[in-house]
Amino acid sequence: MPRATLVYQYPKSSVTLDQVQQMQQSKLKFGASSCVLTSDDQFWILTTVWTSPD
Amino acid sequence: MLFKSPRTRGAGVRAVHARNGFVTVAILLLFSGCAAVRQAPKDPQDNDAVLKELDPYFHGAVVHQYYTEPDKTRRVAMRNEIVTNRVRAYDIEFSRYKNQLSEFGNSVSLGGDLIGLALGGLTATVGNAATKAALGAASAGVLGATTAINKDLFFQKTLPALKSQMDANRKKMKVPILRGLMLSDDQYPLSAAESDLQNYADAGGLEDAITDITATAKVAERAADNEIVSIRTADDFIQLPDKEAIETSVTGMTDSQVLALAKLMESNLPRRPDDVRTAVQTLDPDARRLNGDVARARVAMMAWLDAEVMNAANKKQWADAIKAVSN
């Protein structure tokens, strides 16, 4: 089953937690199979998985 | 000489000479066709000149200026300029390296195979037994040599996988650089970038690619589960309302409208960034979205939108396409 994983890293210096959470909710609302928010010391990391239905 | 002149007379001699002439010309044409077929369009850019222009970013005054610049904001700008230009130089060299690999592998296997097949074909069609034998031997010799070379170098079947692995390794090593460019000079000084740049330069090597492929031996599986890492900016949040408006429109489309949208947007895909193209091609590797597969079309369009930088130009393309399929 084809699956694409998009790992987007947002600098904490310019993007807030609330903004990243809104983007996370949007991805889930519009069909992503999953979207997990993690972080390291400098970046928010959104890992979104898209899966083909076949 | 590959074949003997036949010992016949009169009209028969002329016929045989004509046939032998054809064979000779055919062989000459085939060997003259040994030049590699280009694997990529010729680059109109003079890469030697560009590399010369980029040379100062590897040493000398530009680097010295960075280390002696007291202003932190200017240091960040100088660091980013040095790093991005070095990345560009590495990219040019890597592109050359990949083309050399392709052209070498191509000239060996394609040229050899064609000669071998053509000689084999001629062996079956020319009438003279001695000529047949000579051509048959030549054909076997060409194919034998090619097979040996291909076995040694893994070029015939594994080169595309190796190139994919080299690309993947480079992308992986580019992430820390792109992350670093978003940081202050204190957090990511040029000395730290140089270490990452060296890793990036080394990541395009054939040996690493072979090691990685051998270690995992799961190329097909990786292709079906492609991880795309990107450094994004606050623009994604600023553009979120525009993106959601388009996503809402696409979600509400009928099956036929989604299929039409996928076809309309297809011409824009080659000009999209790597992450968009990879996402779409990973989710729909055989482009079924363009041949009536609604489920593939929907997921490909939504993943594309997710990865999209919704700038004014891209927003207009989507709006125009949506308008066209909605009428």
Side-chain angles (χ1 to χ4, degrees):
Chain A
M1 180 183 293
R3 188 172 64 171
T5 303
L6 304 174
V7 182
Y8 284 173
Q9 304 189 18
Y10 295 92
K12 288 182 175 177
S13 58
S14 57
V15 182
T16 67
L17 174 60
D18 180 60
Q19 290 172 336
V20 178
Q21 286 174 330
Q22 286 187 52
M23 289 190 277
Q24 178 188 26
Q25 291 307 312
S26 178
K27 290 168 193 292
L28 291 168
K29 177 182 171 185
F30 287 105
S33 305
S34 69
C35 184
V36 176
L37 173 60
T38 56
S39 71
D40 59 23
D41 53 342
Q42 288 151 342
F43 286 81
W44 305 112
I45 302 168
L46 269 183
T47 303
T48 309
V49 176
W50 289 88
T51 311
S52 278
D54 53 318
Chain B
M1 196 69 179
L2 291 173
F3 45 87
K4 295 176 183 176
S5 295
R7 293 175 184 172
T8 46
R9 293 175 185 276
V13 172
R14 285 193 296 276
V16 170
H17 281 173
R19 190 167 58 212
N20 285 348
F22 165 75
V23 171
T24 306
V25 169
I27 291 170
L28 287 173
L29 285 172
L30 285 166
F31 276 99
S32 70
C34 285
V37 175
R38 291 190 66 86
Q39 293 284 308
K42 191 173 180 183
D43 190 345
Q45 180 176 261
D46 181 352
N47 284 327
D48 287 329
V50 175
L51 286 171
K52 198 172 178 183
E53 287 173 12
L54 297 175
D55 192 55
Y57 291 104
F58 284 82
H59 50 74
V62 176
V63 176
H64 180 70
Q65 278 175 11
Y66 162 81
Y67 280 113
T68 54
E69 174 59 54
D71 182 82
K72 288 189 172 182
T73 305
R74 280 188 52 78
R75 272 174 76 96
V76 167
M78 293 168 75
R79 175 203 65 191
N80 289 0
E81 184 182 338
I82 292 168
V83 171
T84 51
N85 280 296
R86 287 192 191 183
V87 165
R88 191 176 172 210
Y90 290 136
D91 288 347
I92 289 172
E93 288 291 3
F94 180 69
S95 177
R96 283 180 164 182
Y97 181 57
K98 273 208 310 187
N99 286 339
Q100 283 173 353
L101 282 176
S102 298
E103 287 173 9
F104 177 60
N106 201 33
S107 65
V108 170
S109 57
L110 181 59
D113 288 348
L114 280 178
I115 292 164
L117 288 170
L119 289 176
L122 287 169
T123 308
T125 53
V126 294
N128 183 276
T131 305
K132 271 187 175 182
L135 285 174
S139 169
V142 170
L143 286 177
T146 307
T147 306
I149 291 168
N150 280 341
K151 277 179 184 169
D152 287 346
L153 299 180
F154 299 102
F155 271 153
Q156 197 162 36
K157 297 293 181 191
T158 58
L159 188 56
L162 289 171
K163 285 163 72 176
S164 296
Q165 187 63 50
M166 288 192 292
D167 285 335
N169 290 350
R170 293 181 84 247
K171 279 181 195 170
K172 192 176 166 187
M173 289 302 171
K174 198 173 187 178
V175 171
I177 299 171
L178 297 176
R179 278 175 59 110
L181 296 184
M182 307 290 284
L183 303 175
S184 70
D185 191 61
D186 289 339
Q187 292 170 310
Y188 193 69
L190 183 59
S191 55
E194 283 179 330
S195 173
D196 289 338
L197 283 164
Q198 190 59 53
N199 291 336
Y200 182 62
D202 293 343
L206 195 56
E207 278 186 38
D208 285 349
I210 292 170
T211 304
D212 289 342
I213 284 180
T214 309
T216 57
K218 290 183 177 176
V219 179
E221 187 175 312
R222 273 207 304 280
D225 184 6
N226 218 331
E227 185 173 285
I228 303 144
V229 183
S230 299
I231 311 302
R232 308 286 285 207
T233 69
D235 285 349
D236 277 4
F237 181 74
I238 295 166
Q239 296 164 354
L240 190 60
D242 287 339
K243 186 179 283 192
E244 287 193 329
I246 293 170
E247 286 171 327
T248 301
S249 296
V250 176
T251 305
M253 282 182 172
T254 63
D255 289 352
S256 59
Q257 285 173 330
V258 170
L259 291 171
L261 179 71
K263 285 184 178 174
L264 269 180
M265 289 301 292
E266 186 63 17
S267 61
N268 300 316
L269 188 58
R271 290 185 295 278
R272 287 301 198 265
D274 190 48
D275 57 341
V276 172
R277 286 184 282 112
T278 305
V280 171
Q281 286 160 5
T282 300
L283 291 165
D284 186 24
D286 42 7
R288 284 198 240 157
R289 66 188 178 281
L290 306 177
N291 295 298
D293 190 326
V294 176
R296 284 280 186 92
R298 283 193 187 279
V299 75
M301 291 301 99
M302 297 312 289
W304 180 342
L305 280 163
D306 179 28
E308 189 79 293
V309 172
M310 200 54 76
N311 56 31
N314 291 345
K315 183 180 164 187
K316 184 174 186 310
Q317 282 179 358
W318 282 103
D320 289 348
I322 289 168
K323 188 178 176 186
V325 303
S326 300
N327 289 332

